[in-house]
Amino acid sequence: MFRSHASVATFRQLVEINTKHQLFAIWKLTTVKRIVGSMRWESSIRPAPLLTATPVRTLVDEQTCIQGSFLPSNHPVTVCARLRSDEGDLWQSFAHYNTNSSGTFNLNSDHSIGGSYSGCEPMGLFWSMQPAPGEREGLRLRKKCVESPYTVHISLLEGHVSPNQDAGKELAAVTAERWYMSPGVKRQEIRQNGLVGTLFIPPGPGPFPAMLDMWGMGGGLPEYRSSLFASRGYASFCLAYVGHKDLPGPSNTLNVRDSYFKAAFQFLQDHSQIAANRIGIVGLSYGCYLALHTGTLPGVKPACLIGINGPVGSSRELLHVNVTTKETHQDQVFWSFDDQGYVIFKQTSLPTNLHPDNIVKLEEITCPLMYIVGEDDLSASSIENADLIEKTLRAAGKSHLFTRLSYPSAGHLIEPPYSPMSRASFWVIKPKKLMNLWGGHPAPHAAAQEDAWRKMLAFMELSLRR
């Protein structure tokens, strides 16, 4: 069908008018600004708020950069982090931030002005975590299964709010994974020749430098430090010595002897993937005493020793000439209690309260020794023990072997970086609940953990790889 010239002209006019309307609508939505030789288009349609964690999958001693964008400028927001422990308990933290003129914020450079922490703390959401209201009392966050990560849900909330009182509107969210065990690390439970422990081997053929890893009288078999050592290239044997079902005798009694610790060291020396002359020993609390004690046993020649907030001897009476002791509650004469009834073990490990026959022969140490002190340690007399080590080694002409790290306001449990601090937690629950006061204040304790871990790895690198 043909149109007349008039109808064709009318059609073209309508098309031109419609096109002008469309261009006008587009122009209303966007404006053009000249910026020093470049063009920038600004849309009045704002993208949805975005929260990122980079990288989203890391080892626990690595930082994650958390930032928010596409928000109104100079706007109040709250960032909240939550995770479930392996036992199912909810832990959380939160912090208040204000966006900048571009509508963004970055935990690496911006300051929290309230919440679980304040100031510029890139990893504050992680180290400031505490049990959520309503959770069990006396909790301490410790990884039970190192073959799975902590899954941390991080949410961005509207305004400065407390997630415990007013959850606020969730604007965005991201999930981060925090691992103790990197891909390729091998985990092997060891139950042989009377030994009870877990061996972690890094990826590759080896031979690797190694650490014999011992914790305190809380007992059991915490694996997370050893698995992290292996993730950093060191084989590590986490050794149980008290409070484990596979050990002999009552759980509250140390029933293993010197031969047990010598066998553990020998086990590492004999392993085909471990360098026999590059083995160190690390211990925290009573494990510090055992590390020093084992390192001076005949036939044991460690390449380095690391002690964290522990004594140089034991106040417990020895049943034989070894480390076998009577019940762990025998030294209650040295206990004290605060106003809340929390027990303070600090006096138990004062050098003057140690059995003279049970003090490590520190002058016999022949390898580099690093001793880490939390100056607010309420569970061990760490400062006094460090002083004794330093004095003894100086008198023996071995000052060059000693490295002392000391941290004001840090408590007893100096653990891998970004671990939440527990100032107090349950020591025992049965037959009677007993809360132990560890000491420490969150921000300086977190700084101590980060610095001590970095320097400890450098010390191991120098002692075990060169």
Side-chain angles (χ1 to χ4, degrees):
M1 178 179 179
F2 294 95
R3 294 188 180 92
S4 66
H5 289 292
S7 62
V8 170
T10 302
F11 177 77
R12 287 175 177 170
Q13 290 176 353
L14 290 174
V15 169
E16 290 174 356
I17 292 172
N18 187 49
T19 302
K20 288 179 180 179
H21 278 297
Q22 289 177 347
L23 290 174
F24 182 73
I26 293 173
W27 181 84
K28 285 178 66 179
L29 287 174
T30 58
T31 58
V32 181
K33 292 185 178 180
R34 293 189 177 274
I35 305 176
V36 194
S38 64
M39 302 291 287
R40 183 179 71 192
W41 289 82
E42 290 186 351
S43 173
S44 63
I45 301 176
R46 185 186 304 277
L50 178 66
L51 184 67
T52 60
T54 310
V56 296
R57 185 177 292 108
T58 63
L59 290 172
V60 295
D61 62 352
E62 297 173 332
Q63 289 197 0
T64 294
C65 177
I66 299 170
Q67 53 188 339
S69 52
F70 303 122
L71 292 156
S73 61
N74 306 310
H75 191 69
V77 293
T78 297
V79 188
C80 179
R82 293 185 175 90
L83 68 79
R84 289 280 178 186
S85 69
D86 289 353
E87 297 89 350
D89 301 297
L90 178 63
W91 288 69
Q92 68 175 24
S93 62
F94 69 99
H96 297 154
Y97 289 89
N98 290 318
T99 64
N100 59 22
S101 58
S102 300
T104 67
F105 67 90
N106 188 321
L107 270 62
N108 279 8
S109 55
D110 295 330
H111 287 241
S112 164
I113 59 174
S116 302
Y117 62 92
S118 60
C120 184
E121 297 286 353
M123 295 296 288
L125 283 177
F126 298 92
W127 60 250
S128 70
M129 281 190 167
Q130 291 295 307
E135 295 297 325
R136 297 177 297 152
E137 63 176 333
L139 294 176
R140 176 180 166 195
L141 187 62
R142 307 183 82 186
K143 198 76 177 73
K144 300 294 184 182
C145 177
V146 296
E147 294 177 296
S148 64
Y150 279 134
T151 302
V152 186
H153 179 83
I154 307 168
S155 54
L156 177 63
L157 307 179
E158 175 75 34
H160 289 163
V161 298
S162 169
N164 301 329
Q165 299 170 355
D166 179 13
K169 178 185 176 183
E170 185 175 87
L171 303 174
V174 66
T175 298
E177 290 184 359
R178 308 283 293 169
W179 289 83
Y180 282 93
M181 188 169 158
S182 64
V185 170
K186 298 175 184 177
R187 176 185 176 274
Q188 181 184 4
E189 293 185 7
I190 303 300
R191 304 291 188 273
Q192 64 187 59
N193 299 326
L195 295 175
V196 178
T198 306
L199 177 66
F200 293 90
I201 299 290
F208 302 103
M211 295 296 292
L212 176 60
D213 184 8
M214 292 180 282
W215 289 79
M217 287 298 288
L221 188 56
E223 298 179 355
Y224 52 92
R225 186 168 61 198
S226 277
S227 62
L228 198 53
F229 280 150
S231 298
R232 293 302 175 200
Y234 299 89
S236 188
F237 184 31
C238 180
L239 185 68
Y241 61 87
V242 70
H244 192 283
K245 63 181 179 60
D246 294 334
L247 290 168
S251 61
N252 63 345
T253 306
L254 204 162
N255 299 289
V256 294
R257 305 186 179 186
D258 289 354
S259 57
Y260 181 80
F261 300 99
K262 289 183 68 172
F265 192 85
Q266 187 69 47
F267 167 78
L268 289 173
Q269 286 187 310
D270 293 341
H271 198 284
S272 61
Q273 288 185 275
I274 292 175
N277 62 340
R278 291 187 288 157
I279 301 171
I281 310 175
V282 59
L284 179 144
S285 194
Y286 197 79
C288 170
Y289 159 59
L290 292 176
L292 298 175
H293 177 80
T294 303
T296 55
L297 291 175
V300 177
K301 298 295 181 183
C304 69
L305 295 169
I306 300 174
I308 306 169
N309 285 331
V312 298
S314 175
S315 63
R316 300 180 177 91
E317 181 184 351
L318 301 184
L319 298 180
H320 305 282
V321 185
N322 50 50
V323 296
T324 305
T325 67
K326 291 184 178 179
E327 289 191 1
T328 60
H329 291 173
Q330 147 185 353
D331 51 13
Q332 292 185 18
V333 64
F334 301 123
W335 294 5
S336 59
F337 296 85
D338 72 353
D339 294 340
Q340 295 178 279
Y342 295 173
V343 65
I344 300 172
F345 292 135
K346 186 170 184 174
Q347 300 298 315
T348 303
S349 57
L350 268 176
T352 54
N353 291 335
L354 302 175
H355 279 271
D357 294 338
N358 194 23
I359 295 178
V360 174
K361 294 179 175 60
L362 298 165
E363 65 278 4
E364 296 182 3
I365 290 175
T366 59
C367 65
L369 164 61
M370 173 178 278
Y371 188 90
I372 300 171
V373 177
E375 295 181 13
D376 190 42
D377 186 353
L378 297 178
S379 193
S381 299
S382 301
I383 295 175
E384 293 81 0
N385 279 271
D387 291 342
L388 179 57
I389 296 172
E390 189 168 11
K391 177 183 177 181
T392 304
L393 290 178
R394 186 187 307 117
K398 298 181 177 181
S399 296
H400 62 286
L401 295 178
F402 186 58
T403 300
R404 176 173 177 165
L405 304 180
S406 195
Y407 299 99
S409 299
H412 185 69
L413 300 172
I414 296 180
E415 301 195 271
Y418 319 124
S419 303
M421 189 200 83
S422 292
R423 185 170 176 83
S425 67
F426 275 128
W427 176 252
V428 293
I429 298 178
K430 295 179 180 180
K432 180 183 178 180
K433 290 184 177 181
L434 185 64
M435 190 84 79
N436 181 26
L437 198 59
W438 305 109
H441 300 274
H445 189 89
Q449 291 188 145
E450 186 172 6
D451 187 73
W453 183 256
R454 176 175 55 84
K455 290 178 178 176
M456 186 163 64
L457 290 179
F459 177 76
M460 291 164 56
E461 183 77 14
L462 184 63
S463 303
L464 301 179
R465 292 193 191 274
R466 297 183 184 179

